[in-house]
Structures are given as C-alpha cells and as structure tokens.
Amino acid sequence: MPPGFDHSYASLGSDFCTPQPPDPVVAPELMLWNQMLADELGWKGSPSSHPEQLQALAGNQPLPSSKPVATVYAGHQFGHYNPQLGDGRATLLGEWLTPSGDRFDVQLKGAGPTAYSRGGDGRSPIGPVIREYVVSEAMHALGVPSSRALAAVSTGEPVVRDRIERGAILTRVASSHLRVGTVQYFAMTRGGDEVGTLVDYAVSRHFSHVTEQDVAPAKPAAVILLDGVCTHFARLVSHWQVLGFVHGVLNTDNALLCGQTIDYGPCAFMDHFDPQACFSSIDRQGRYAWPNQPSTMHWNLAVLAECLLPLIDNDEKRAQQTAQEVVDQFPIRFHAHHQKWLAAKLGLDRITEVDGALIQDFHDIMAAERLDMTLAFRWLTEIAGDTLEHSPLPELFRAPPLLIDWSRKWRDRRASNRGDANAITQTMRATNPTVIPRNHLVQRAINLAENSDLDWIEELVARGQSPFEWRSGDEEWARSPLEEERVTRTFCGT
Ligand code: AMP
Ligand code: MG
C-alpha cells in the first residue's frame, strides 16, 4: 500500500480548498494502469492486485492518509473573467511524496460533484479520460512537461452528455495544480486577500532553488514566481509549436505555474502542416489556434503579472516597471527556445539570420503541399543520417519535387555546420518523433474503450513510450490518417 500523502496546500486553510470526499460509484473496473509511473512514484501494489486500490481510485474508499479536497480558482475563459471556478469534477487526494522526496498532486478527475461544480455533474465520460491518458503520457515521453495519468477506471455509471455515455475517472498526477487562475482568484476575486500566502507557497514548492541561489539584493517572492513562470511558459509553448501540438483551451485556469501541460480536452496534433491549425469545436474565432499559442501564453503571463503588482513593490510605478521587464522577457525567451528547437530539428548547428528564409520556405512548402509535419521533419532526419532506405519512411511519406529542391539548399547549409556532425544528426533523431498520438489514433482508442476493448489502447500507450525510434508495425502507428480517418474537429466532451 502507498506510504502516504502530505497535505501542504490544504493546510494553507479553508480559503484555498474545501474538504470533498469523492462520490462513490456502483461498479468500478480498471481500464488502464500506468505501472511505469507507479514505479517512479514509489507506489506499492496496483489496483489489479489490491482491490482496495481500485476502490480508492474510483472514489469508493479512502486511501490511507488521503484527505480529499476540491481547490478553488478563477480564470479568464476565452478572454472573459470568471471570478470563481474551481475543481468542479476533480478531487485532490493529497500530495504524494516519492522515495526521493519529490512532491506530486494526485487527483481523481471525474469523481463527482464538488462545491465548485456550478451545476455540472462532476463526472467525466470515458472519451475524455482516454484522450487525456493517451496524450498526456505520450507528451511526457516526447519530453514535453505534462501532467501524467496513473490510472483510468470505468465507473459502471452512465454520464449524460449529448448522448448517454459510460463514466470514467482518471487518476491525474501533476507537479501541482496551482494555476494562473489560482492567483487570480485571490488577487482579483478576493481583492488581494491571501495572495501573499499563495505566492510564498508557490515559490517554496516550485522555485525554492531560485531563492537559495539568489544573491543580494533579494528579490520579492512575487518576482521570483513571475520570472520562473515566464521561463516555464516560454519553454513549454516553444515545444508545443515545434511538435504541431494545439492545446485548444489556453484559458488562464489551464495554465499551470509549474509549467506542465494540463487539460487535454480539445487538444490535437497537426497531421498535415496547417499554419492556422485549430481543432476545438468551441474555439470558433481561432483564439487558441496553433499560431496564437505563444502570444496567448504571453497574455496569460501578463495577467499573472497584474495580480502580483501589489506584492512586487509598494510604489505602483516601480511595481509596474519591474513586472513589465519580466513580462517583456517572454518573447525573448520564447524565441531563444524556439530557435534552439528548430536548429535541433533541422540539423543545424545554430540559426543565423540567413537561415530564417530557409526555414520559412520549408514551412511554406509543408503548407502548400499539405505535407505531414511529423513525417516531413523525420524525412529530413533520415536523409541527414543516410538511413532513409532502412526506415519505414519511404512507405509513409513521399517527398514532392518542391521539397526535394529545397533539401538541396538545406544540405548546402548543413555543409557549413560547425561541430560534430554525428552529434547533430543524433540530436535530430532525438527531437523529430516517428510516432505522435495522432487524432485518428486517439479517436480509435476512444471508440474501442467505449466497447471495453482495451488491448489495442495498451499497445498505443506502449508505442507512445519510445517516440523517437522506429519499431516493427510502425506503418500503422506512424502513418498519416486516411482521408476518411481525418479528425478535423475536437470536442471537450466534459
Ligand atoms: P475546463 O474547461 O475543463 O478547464 O473546465 C472549466 C471549469 O468547468 C472548471 O472549473 C471545471 O472544474 C468545470 N467543469 C468542467 N466539467 C465539469 C463537470 N462535468 N462537472 C462540474 N464541473 C465541471
Ligand atoms: Mg481546466
């Protein structure tokens, strides 16, 4: 059995969360269990060998030392401020301490109504649970900071949405669930009450290394937080961009201070490169389309900055100036990360000013020819390593004449690379995935799960664990969707 939970966040007091035992369900069954994550967490046993764990992950009985709470937050949703949101369909069981001393929130998502459900049922259909499980684990394997999935359990109860669906509960693990929206709740809704407590807590939980290294003059905790979040957001969104990942609902309540991706509702990866890619059915204006993600995260950071002003300096002008300086770092840090990713993915030693046109041409060709983004980058990788013929790529991707022409210029440019050519090619292999959780694969997983057919989903999850290698059977996992498989719209399905 697990050694136990800590509750540092809940101990901040009743302003921050409300005790919330999960609502029992009639007939829980284990769908998916993440043994690898369990091992990382030092979680002993599993729901299949310990029936009481299955009951606990379904919300039917408490885990030893868990003290379930629902946390409160606010947030800008599609630009409009909602003064009170909160865990409407999630309960935080507590903070899991790993044997090496790391701390992770463990949440049951879909565990029944809470004080923050606002009329919702607090439940989740199987579809969103499977999507989040598959995509968040694949993101982690791709090296993208992300919440994780420990278990998916079906509840045996129906959930009414557009149609009647089967219910499920996801056990979600994250560094923490502190959001920009959590700070907003205290700064904006509560007029500043307790925002200092929250900021000190967030800094000690996520940025204590900065405090320790920091030399005089000591920076206020609020500046450490803002600066740390700025770095996290810049790195995170640059990674999303180069993978063609579209989050879909980048509201401030879905922006974690710890810099992990969270909320996999309407997310999707591009298949063919589309510079305006937007999949979410509720994002009618394309507010959170692929090209807008960096500016959106910049905006989310500015919202955080505004909340922190009173804690930065008593003098309003000075506070604004300090905050602005940090917020202005975002595009600089984003650009630096993005350039680094592009250099790695294109096998360039660095990106110089003249490379801008070469990269733009590559993107233009991908867009004009509707090339599969993942496979196009991987095609370059196999060419660079002289491994094309030994890979399944020729069966999966045909390079059009425009791309072949472009690749000559690219080879010329690579000829002027400084440094170890093998290492550069190795980096290409480690940054250009062969397999991503494509929408049609995720959709198939959801359809199968609805019919309790889990074997293929386990294979999909397992395949996602080594996204930079070729494996036998990759003709199926790595290919672009057929026309009839193409998923162009995604639904939160909450
Ligand atoms: P999301 O769009 O998933 O980020 O959720 C936005 C807000 O709606 C959060 O406060 C959620 O807790 C809440 N919410 C979403 N789905 C449900 C549901 N089925 N029941 C209750 N609250 C929900
Ligand atoms: Mg959310």
Side-chain angles (χ1 to χ4, degrees):
M1 230 16 215
F5 288 101
D6 190 41
H7 304 281
S8 65
Y9 190 67
S11 67
L12 294 180
S14 58
D15 285 342
F16 294 81
C17 55
T18 310
Q20 186 64 63
D23 218 19
V25 298
V26 293
E29 273 181 48
L30 184 66
M31 293 197 293
L32 299 165
W33 172 249
N34 189 341
Q35 189 56 51
M36 219 149 52
L37 176 57
D39 291 343
E40 283 172 42
L41 293 173
W43 183 288
K44 299 280 187 297
S46 76
S48 34
S49 56
H50 294 74
E52 73 280 10
Q53 287 196 20
L54 173 63
Q55 295 301 327
L57 299 182
N60 285 3
Q61 88 182 36
L63 279 170
S65 78
S66 73
K67 275 194 232 155
V69 295
T71 72
V72 64
Y73 51 86
H76 275 90
Q77 299 179 301
F78 290 89
H80 300 285
Y81 186 59
N82 192 328
Q84 194 189 299
L85 295 161
D87 294 328
R89 55 161 164 186
T91 24
L92 174 64
L93 297 182
E95 297 142 23
W96 181 261
L97 296 176
T98 69
S100 51
D102 292 325
R103 181 182 292 266
F104 292 97
D105 276 9
V106 179
Q107 257 197 0
L108 297 185
K109 189 173 169 189
T114 74
Y116 311 110
S117 293
R118 300 176 298 149
D121 61 2
R123 294 296 185 191
S124 178
I126 274 188
V129 166
I130 293 294
R131 177 187 298 278
E132 177 158 348
Y133 193 113
V134 170
V135 183
S136 67
E137 282 306 304
M139 289 284 270
H140 175 74
L142 285 162
V144 185
S146 175
S147 67
R148 309 279 310 270
L150 180 63
V153 171
S154 59
T155 61
E157 294 182 1
V159 174
V160 183
R161 296 292 180 264
D162 288 345
R163 56 192 171 99
I164 295 182
E165 302 185 50
R166 295 173 57 206
I169 297 174
L170 182 84
T171 307
R172 176 161 71 185
V173 177
S175 261
S176 86
H177 288 84
L178 301 176
R179 308 146 193 265
V180 170
T182 316
V183 183
Q184 282 183 281
Y185 173 75
F186 292 100
M188 295 177 169
T189 305
R190 298 277 301 266
D193 196 22
E194 297 280 27
V195 67
T197 308
L198 177 66
V199 167
D200 288 345
Y201 177 82
V203 168
S204 76
R205 185 148 171 192
H206 295 300
F207 303 101
S208 57
H209 56 286
V210 183
T211 338
E212 282 152 21
Q213 282 165 11
D214 218 21
V215 281
K219 285 189 206 145
V223 177
I224 293 173
L225 179 68
L226 189 61
D227 190 69
V229 173
C230 175
T231 299
H232 280 336
F233 282 5
R235 192 184 305 145
L236 181 67
V237 73
S238 70
H239 208 167
W240 290 345
Q241 294 309 95
V242 297
L243 286 170
F245 175 78
V246 188
H247 180 282
V249 58
L250 281 181
N251 296 333
T252 54
D253 53 304
N254 290 333
L256 291 188
L257 302 180
C258 67
Q260 292 180 334
T261 312
I262 194 176
D263 202 326
Y264 286 90
C267 71
F269 281 83
M270 288 184 208
D271 293 301
H272 68 272
F273 180 72
D274 171 4
Q276 297 303 324
C278 178
F279 297 94
S280 168
S281 60
I282 56 168
D283 190 3
R284 292 200 190 86
Q285 317 287 325
R287 181 183 178 93
Y288 300 140
W290 179 75
N292 300 339
Q293 297 189 121
S295 58
T296 301
M297 289 305 269
H298 191 195
W299 191 84
N300 288 348
L301 185 74
V303 169
L304 176 65
E306 200 184 322
C307 292
L308 298 176
L309 289 177
L311 298 176
I312 291 177
D313 202 304
N314 289 332
D315 179 283
E316 213 177 303
K317 263 219 170 96
R318 275 206 309 262
Q320 268 182 5
Q321 193 188 345
T322 305
Q324 192 66 51
E325 279 167 17
V326 181
V327 173
D328 287 348
Q329 281 296 310
F330 177 88
I332 298 166
R333 292 179 195 176
F334 168 77
H335 185 70
H337 282 293
H338 194 236
Q339 298 281 85
K340 235 172 157 172
W341 281 120
L342 286 174
K345 286 173 75 78
L346 291 166
L348 305 178
D349 56 342
R350 79 213 120 101
I351 299 221
T352 64
E353 239 165 73
V354 282
D355 294 327
L358 186 75
I359 294 170
Q360 188 59 49
D361 287 350
F362 179 57
H363 282 100
D364 289 348
I365 292 167
M366 282 200 295
E369 302 275 336
R370 288 170 65 87
L371 297 183
D372 189 280
M373 182 183 187
T374 305
L375 296 179
F377 272 106
R378 191 67 195 199
W379 183 77
L380 299 179
T381 309
E382 304 301 347
I383 292 196
D386 214 5
T387 45
L388 187 61
E389 298 311 320
H390 306 289
S391 78
L393 246 188
E395 273 182 58
L396 303 172
F397 181 80
R398 184 158 303 148
L402 270 177
L403 181 60
I404 292 173
D405 284 350
W406 177 88
S407 71
R408 294 197 182 99
K409 282 187 262 172
W410 169 69
R411 273 178 211 245
D412 290 345
R413 163 63 186 85
R414 275 173 44 81
S416 69
N417 269 352
R418 294 181 302 208
D420 181 347
N422 276 337
I424 291 175
T425 310
Q426 244 352 84
T427 303
M428 280 185 90
R429 298 191 82 79
T431 41
N432 288 313
T434 56
V435 171
I436 54 165
R438 291 173 184 272
N439 305 333
H440 70 285
L441 298 175
V442 174
Q443 194 52 52
R444 182 168 169 200
I446 292 170
N447 297 345
L448 288 169
E450 283 170 351
N451 294 307
S452 304
D453 189 348
L454 300 167
D455 293 348
W456 185 86
I457 306 175
E458 282 181 359
E459 282 179 48
L460 173 65
V461 173
R463 182 61 194 91
Q465 295 307 305
S466 39
F468 300 106
E469 292 164 21
W470 290 115
R471 289 276 160 88
S472 67
D474 273 351
E475 292 74 10
E476 234 1 69
W477 300 119
R479 69 173 172 81
S480 335
L482 304 172
E483 205 47 55
E484 63 270 23
E485 291 173 321
R486 213 175 273 288
V487 177
T488 52
R489 276 268 158 276
T490 51
F491 302 89
C492 289
T494 58

